[in-house]
Amino acid sequence: MTDTAHTQLATLSQALQAFERGDHTATTLSTLARQQTTLLAALPPRYGEVLLNLLDRLESSALFSEESCSFSQKDLVANLQMWMDKARGVVGQG
């Protein structure tokens, strides 16, 4: 894969870490993630679908002041991290 895909994955990973620290909102993370078009184009289509689903759920979870059984931010962040780990494996193969 291209260096740009690697760079965009690193940017997305840093943004997730910033979200976990409370430095980014869910909306900021989601917007940034959706802008990583080169990364998404470098991955199989299913990766984009999964990422967008996770981002939609993360944004929805921000509407709740406490953890909701349907929208656990902790679980969504863990799933986003797993997505990035798998994407890193795919991008690294190129």
Side-chain angles (χ1 to χ4, degrees):
M1 298 295 150
T2 67
D3 287 337
T4 304
H6 288 280
T7 301
Q8 288 189 353
L9 185 58
T11 297
L12 187 53
S13 181
Q14 291 168 358
L16 181 60
Q17 291 171 2
F19 174 76
E20 289 181 278
R21 288 191 309 268
D23 295 340
H24 281 336
T25 64
T27 301
T28 301
L29 174 61
S30 180
T31 299
L32 189 138
R34 293 170 197 273
Q35 292 172 344
Q36 307 312 306
T37 55
T38 301
L39 170 62
L40 294 174
L43 294 168
R46 181 74 181 133
Y47 278 75
E49 295 169 23
V50 170
L51 179 62
L52 294 178
N53 180 278
L54 289 170
L55 294 172
D56 288 344
R57 290 172 37 205
L58 185 65
E59 286 182 289
S60 295
S61 75
L63 301 173
F64 298 95
S65 59
E66 298 177 10
E67 293 282 315
S68 163
C69 57
S70 343
F71 296 107
S72 168
Q73 280 195 359
K74 182 179 177 184
D75 291 343
L76 290 169
V77 167
N79 284 327
L80 281 167
Q81 186 59 55
M82 186 183 336
W83 182 94
M84 280 190 239
D85 292 343
K86 290 182 182 215
R88 194 170 288 113
V90 172
V91 169
Q93 292 174 4

